[in-house]
Amino acid sequence: MKQIALYGKGGIGKSTTSANLSAALSDCGLDIMQIGCDPKHDSTRMLMWGEWIPTVLDLVREHGDANIAVSDAVFTGYGGIRCVEAGGPEPGIGCAGRGIIATFQLLQRLEALYGDVIVYDVLGDVVCGGFAMPMRDGYAQEIYLVTSGEFMSLYAANNICKAIARLSRRTRSVCSLAGVICNSKNIPGEEALVREFAERVNSRMIAYIPRANIVQVAEVNQRTVIDYAPESEQAEVYRQLAREIMENTTYTIPTPLEMHELEELARSHLTV
């Protein structure tokens, strides 16, 4: 079983990338599970044709952990993809990572973590105990960073590199950096910047996803690009990403940049 996690700054397009990746993998005949690990609980919505599925944390609050069945928490979407949303606390109350912890405990108890590929879609702005759990506790073995050329997006990606490097020092650690995905914001010099960033942190850019209007059109129609516009160029970009990930055998321990190095790197590519 291949277990991968996509980490990145909020709003960078992790969920869109994850959902289209899962859809592309399912079209290859693979058994896919996608777990949304973000309090917004919108990771799987396009795979579920717009449906907001119940979150594990809401189910636990309402019914108690012992009273939840697989059918309560796991929903089947596009291509037979099994979809789960961890959820989060009420605004202003509790820890946002608690939903992730509750989700893994529940899915393990129910023996529901199986398939050819499990895709974890994880918020990467703050790598606290809960959000780090997929890589810290051996669930996600391959970490992919989703970033654009925006400085704060790169800053978040660099922080995730720090977390991976720190966790790698544990004797039981199995997680490593598998690559960087550039989800473009159409910034001049962006592709070269993200490519060099990936190399500087001891990895490589495995995919460049151009900004395309079809992504927004598909989303307002409550579907992934793979589902809504399978013959489009953008759909082929996601299929190529799926191929790269399935064929990838290059995993590294990252070497995160110091702040001044990250700033100098950004300045060297982003000019007026």
Side-chain angles (χ1 to χ4, degrees):
M1 182 169 65
K2 195 176 184 71
Q3 299 192 80
I4 67 175
L6 275 65
Y7 274 83
K9 180 181 179 296
I12 195 57
K14 294 183 311 305
S15 295
T16 298
T17 304
S18 298
N20 278 284
L21 169 62
S22 291
L25 290 170
S26 74
D27 281 356
C28 296
L30 298 172
D31 181 2
I32 309 298
M33 183 178 213
Q34 180 163 320
I35 303 177
C37 302
D38 189 319
K40 296 196 305 296
H41 60 88
D42 61 348
S43 175
T44 62
R45 196 163 67 91
M46 296 303 104
L47 294 170
M48 293 298 302
W49 304 286
E51 180 183 354
W52 294 84
I53 63 176
T55 72
V56 169
L57 197 54
D58 283 342
L59 291 169
V60 170
R61 279 194 292 255
E62 293 170 15
H63 307 291
D65 181 273
N67 300 312
I68 302 172
V70 172
S71 58
D72 297 321
V74 182
F75 296 79
T76 303
Y78 173 86
I81 298 167
R82 285 166 293 118
C83 299
V84 178
E85 290 287 352
E90 294 295 324
I93 303 173
C95 170
R98 184 168 170 261
I100 301 173
I101 296 169
T103 297
F104 287 124
Q105 291 173 341
L106 177 70
L107 294 177
Q108 280 210 312
R109 179 179 68 78
L110 297 174
E111 299 182 344
L113 282 172
Y114 63 88
D116 296 314
V117 184
I118 298 182
V119 178
Y120 302 98
D121 173 13
V122 194
L123 179 65
D125 292 86
V126 181
V127 191
C128 70
F131 292 121
M133 189 176 182
M135 55 178 158
R136 186 191 67 217
D137 289 3
Y139 294 99
Q141 298 154 0
E142 303 170 27
I143 311 300
Y144 290 90
L145 306 178
V146 182
T147 184
S148 68
E150 295 171 317
F151 181 77
M152 291 311 297
S153 178
L154 291 168
Y155 175 82
N158 194 57
N159 270 349
I160 298 160
C161 288
K162 291 179 181 178
I164 299 170
R166 186 173 295 112
L167 291 170
S168 71
R169 295 194 286 269
R170 296 187 175 191
T171 55
R172 294 183 181 180
S173 176
V174 295
C175 78
S176 55
L177 182 56
V180 177
I181 300 167
C182 179
N183 197 39
S184 175
K185 296 289 187 180
N186 278 352
I187 300 170
E190 182 176 35
E191 184 174 0
L193 168 57
V194 174
R195 190 178 301 279
E196 184 173 348
F197 168 78
E199 293 169 355
R200 292 277 295 275
V201 297
N202 191 34
S203 187
R204 66 189 180 99
M205 190 175 81
I206 68 159
Y208 174 80
I209 302 175
R211 193 171 183 86
N213 187 56
I214 191 63
V215 175
Q216 283 69 45
V217 173
E219 288 191 356
V220 297
N221 283 278
Q222 302 179 325
R223 292 156 73 184
T224 62
V225 174
I226 294 291
D227 184 10
Y228 181 78
E231 303 303 320
S232 66
E233 292 182 6
Q234 195 75 1
E236 183 56 34
V237 169
Y238 292 122
R239 292 191 193 99
Q240 180 60 34
L241 171 62
R243 288 191 288 268
E244 288 285 347
I245 287 177
M246 292 306 295
E247 296 170 3
N248 190 13
T249 57
T250 304
Y251 315 122
T252 64
I253 302 304
T255 54
L257 302 178
E258 297 295 332
M259 178 59 78
H260 72 276
E261 294 176 312
L262 187 61
E263 290 173 335
E264 289 172 1
L265 174 61
R267 278 196 297 266
S268 70
H269 287 272
L270 302 178
T271 57
V272 178

